[in-house]
Amino acid sequence: MYPEKLTTHLEALALSSRAVAAMFRYDDREKATLDYELADPLGESRHAVAGRAVHQYPDRLLVHVTGRCAAHCRYCFRRSGVHRACGPLDERETGLIQDYLKGHDQIKEVLLSGGDPFTMGTDLWEYLLDGIRQARPDITVRIGTRMPVSDPVRFEDNRLIQLLADHGVVWIMTHINHSDELTAETKASLERLRKNGLSLANQTVLLKGVNDEVEVLARLFTTLVDLGVKPYYLFQGDLALGTAHFRVPLSRALAIVNELRRHVSGLAMPVFAVDIPGGGGKVPLCPPWLGAPGKKGWPLTHPDGHTGFYPEEKDGPVK
Ligand SMILES: *Cc1c(COP(=O)(O)O)cnc(C)c1O
Ligand code: SF4
């Protein structure tokens, strides 16, 4: 069971936005799980290193810096994950990450993920960023966060903004799915980050009944570009337990994405991708990585050579 959790900001927004309510309000359909849905849909546990890190691609290290989120997205692919119960990294765990980064020259980017890293207090941020920079002054830091949507006042903390600005190249990877989430407060937090020198990119999850329409996605992506945020990935839904009602059949998803390209600029167009179910990495959903669907579903081939299948699912009613 994944408890319902919303911030005061989202409680208010869910009253006026159906899309926000659908993303954050518990729904009884979550009780229905399918036999091919997975507790660890990305197979992250297969590549676990240094305690709480995932080293799947040679040049990138993903670190689960905390399991906590300010609010719980109902479609979350880590909703049943082992990391969800963890609090922030402690000193020993930060030390393990430092040692791992020092010992692996090939790592060029460290991705701070979670949970939501910005649920961590500012003192912990100082400790973590100092630690990473001490170990590796040369690498790019990426921070994945939904906080500009769930609790935008977090970015009114001047000390936090200053820390982020003072630790070399830092990319903030936001997670925004619908233009209803772009409230005045959320826009202000993005502007604050941008004006303080942070680079901004966004990841969106394609969600049935939330953003599975060309106009909805076009409005979101063009607004993000206007805010200085590059739409980076649009993800097909992962096969997380109890999330079937959020998934768009892949054939319809591809039609939406093809049509979208006619309506937005190249800058506003994200890469449509999916993680190979069960592990193997992220694959762009276009040839030659995506093959023609057969009995087992859609064949996927990662640029690294890993293969897998994504099912073609039925398009049930939205409500
Ligand atoms: C998504 C992901 C990355 C980053 O992949 P990009 O395609 O560079 O954004 C790195 N490590 C893991 C384990 C990931 O899941
Ligand atoms: S913010 Fe990310 S990790 Fe947290 S519940 Fe939402 S999707 Fe999951």
Side-chain angles (χ1 to χ4, degrees):
M1 174 59 191
Y2 190 43
E4 194 180 71
K5 184 177 180 186
L6 287 84
T7 55
T8 317
H9 177 78
L10 286 174
E11 288 276 0
L13 197 54
L15 295 176
S16 61
S17 165
R18 259 193 63 186
V20 170
M23 287 185 274
F24 291 99
R25 288 287 175 210
Y26 170 79
D27 187 300
D28 263 338
R29 290 174 294 179
E30 294 174 32
K31 286 187 192 148
T33 57
L34 302 175
D35 55 3
Y36 56 84
E37 288 181 333
L38 304 161
D40 178 14
L42 274 54
E44 292 188 308
S45 53
R46 289 206 242 156
H47 306 278
V49 295
R52 291 222 236 149
V54 182
H55 196 185
Q56 180 166 8
Y57 309 108
D59 58 338
R60 282 154 278 176
L61 186 73
L62 183 148
V63 185
H64 291 282
V65 296
T66 176
R68 297 195 184 123
C69 290
H72 288 169
C73 313
R74 305 315 305 170
Y75 54 83
C76 178
F77 68 89
R78 293 194 181 120
R79 53 182 283 150
S80 347
V82 287
H83 292 291
R84 199 163 64 72
C86 299
L89 287 182
D90 60 22
E91 288 181 22
R92 187 190 63 85
E93 291 168 313
T94 306
L96 290 176
I97 301 298
Q98 283 181 286
D99 292 343
Y100 196 85
L101 287 173
K102 280 186 204 160
H104 293 79
D105 270 359
Q106 70 268 39
I107 296 174
K108 303 296 179 209
E109 288 182 29
V110 63
L111 286 70
L112 308 181
S113 181
D116 197 313
F118 287 114
T119 56
M120 286 197 319
T122 306
D123 287 341
L124 286 175
W125 268 109
E126 182 165 14
Y127 188 81
L128 179 63
L129 289 172
D130 284 350
I132 289 172
R133 281 306 176 213
Q134 199 181 33
R136 290 290 301 275
D138 57 315
I139 57 177
T140 297
V141 176
R142 275 201 222 177
I143 305 170
T145 182
R146 194 140 163 70
M147 208 62 128
V149 168
S150 46
D151 205 8
V153 294
R154 180 72 185 93
F155 301 98
E156 285 175 20
D157 177 343
N158 289 326
R159 220 183 110 218
L160 177 69
I161 299 287
Q162 212 48 54
L163 279 172
L164 295 169
D166 288 346
H167 279 82
V169 174
V170 177
W171 284 77
I172 305 291
M173 314 299 287
T174 59
H175 168 179
I176 303 172
N177 299 326
H178 194 286
S179 52
D180 284 1
E181 295 175 316
L182 294 169
T183 59
E185 294 87 343
T186 294
K187 286 180 175 172
S189 71
L190 297 173
E191 182 168 87
R192 192 109 206 273
L193 290 164
R194 184 174 59 78
K195 288 196 166 162
N196 281 279
L198 282 304
S199 299
L200 299 170
N202 182 68
Q203 313 195 133
T204 295
V205 184
L206 184 64
L207 297 167
K208 179 144 85 178
V210 174
N211 61 10
D212 57 338
E213 285 172 58
V214 174
E215 307 80 76
V216 172
L217 291 172
R219 194 181 324 129
L220 171 65
F221 297 144
T222 52
T223 310
L224 286 170
V225 168
D226 289 343
L227 294 166
V229 184
K230 161 70 187 145
Y232 175 46
Y233 275 131
L234 171 66
F235 288 117
Q236 171 70 4
D238 292 309
L239 304 177
L241 289 167
T243 61
H245 55 294
F246 279 120
R247 289 196 298 272
V248 180
L250 188 50
S251 53
R252 186 160 70 83
L254 289 164
I256 293 171
V257 172
N258 286 344
E259 179 64 15
L260 181 66
R261 188 64 187 85
R262 303 194 324 119
H263 296 266
V264 301
S265 72
L267 189 59
M269 190 72 199
V271 173
F272 184 43
V274 72
D275 270 276
I276 296 180
K282 285 185 195 70
V283 187
L285 285 163
C286 58
W289 324 113
L290 175 70
K295 263 201 188 128
K296 285 176 153 176
W298 295 79
L300 303 169
T301 308
H302 191 272
D304 288 349
H306 294 104
T307 58
F309 288 90
Y310 189 94
E312 171 67 15
E313 299 186 289
K314 285 204 187 70
D315 214 357
V318 169
K319 261 284 164 197

